[in-house]
Amino acid sequence: MLPGSIQISGETLSGAEIRDICESLRENSVRLLSLRGCQLSERDFGHVCRGAAESRSLAQLNLNLGIVSNINRVKQLAEALKTNRSVQSLFLHGSPLTDAGLALLNPALSIHPSLVALDLGDCMLGDEGINLICGLLPPDGAKSGLKELTLSANPGVTSKGWGRLAIAVAHSSQLRVLNLDYNPLGDQVAGMLAVAVASSRTLEVLDLEGTGLTNQSAQTLLDMVENYPTALRTLILAENNISPELQQQISDLLSEGEEEEETEAREVTAREKNPWICQNNSSSHMVLMTSGLGDSLLAETEM
């Protein structure tokens, strides 16, 4: 039987229910476990962590909205992730981690062989937490790193912290999606991020919704999209003080880039089907790039 999913939201879980969940984890019959906003005892949380540690099928673990509510639970989760080898996406949105909690969790995140998507939105992080996260964005392909990162609603991070993240994003060899919505970034940080996007070879989606941007930021981002070849395909600027005209200009330029890549992809496919088709200029190179992310690793569960 193929691994399935267990998704429960906002319920108080009994000991019997926890036993059933843990048995399914140990039997490797669960690919997605979501206990979003549920209430469970300290003892039962420990049981779930031990079940996750033993599971070889668990790919997505959603503990959003306060499940990881204290340092003891952070420690238990960290121990589970040190043993687990299958989790690809970890959702901790709305957990009061703070920098201290992330410091306990970070060693397990850093050595996990499969983790590629991480949601630490609304986790009360500050600059020290951002410094730790930067270590999960390696600058080369020598080791695995995050492809999708969510840091929404962490107002304790200062411009210094966001600047450090921008540098890491610029040099990351793998990051494709970055969600920074509902942080008080402002135009200064947006300028740093524009430079990071222009330097990145992989970033395809950047969410800056509700981040205190103005037309100044939008003009900088427009110049970046217009003048630099980037991988960016989606830029979210809703709920900012930006004129609709500037937003439309940016959207149009991103759409043009996507259409050009689709045309190139069709040409590459045609040449692969017909090996007799060649280019007149032998020094030219055709690069096949995919637009969009397909099934997003962070899209399977709600926050």
Side-chain angles (χ1 to χ4, degrees), residues 7-27:
Q7 300 188 61
I8 308 171
S9 295
E11 295 187 15
T12 299
L13 300 177
S14 67
E17 290 172 316
I18 294 297
R19 284 193 293 274
D20 289 342
I21 291 171
C22 292
E23 182 176 353
S24 297
L25 288 169
R26 287 191 294 269
E27 291 176 350

Side-chain angles (χ1 to χ4, degrees), residues 9 18 22 46 64 68 81-82 85 87 93 102 175-177 187 190 220 223 225 227 240-241 245 257-258 287 292 300:
S9 295
I18 294 297
C22 292
N64 284 349
V68 186
L81 291 173
K82 287 178 182 177
R85 290 292 180 267
V87 169
H93 202 109
L102 184 57
L175 189 66
R176 297 162 62 190
V177 178
D187 291 331
T220 301
D223 292 342
V225 172
N227 296 307
N240 286 296
N241 189 23
E245 291 78 14
E258 189 169 349
V287 180
E300 188 163 340

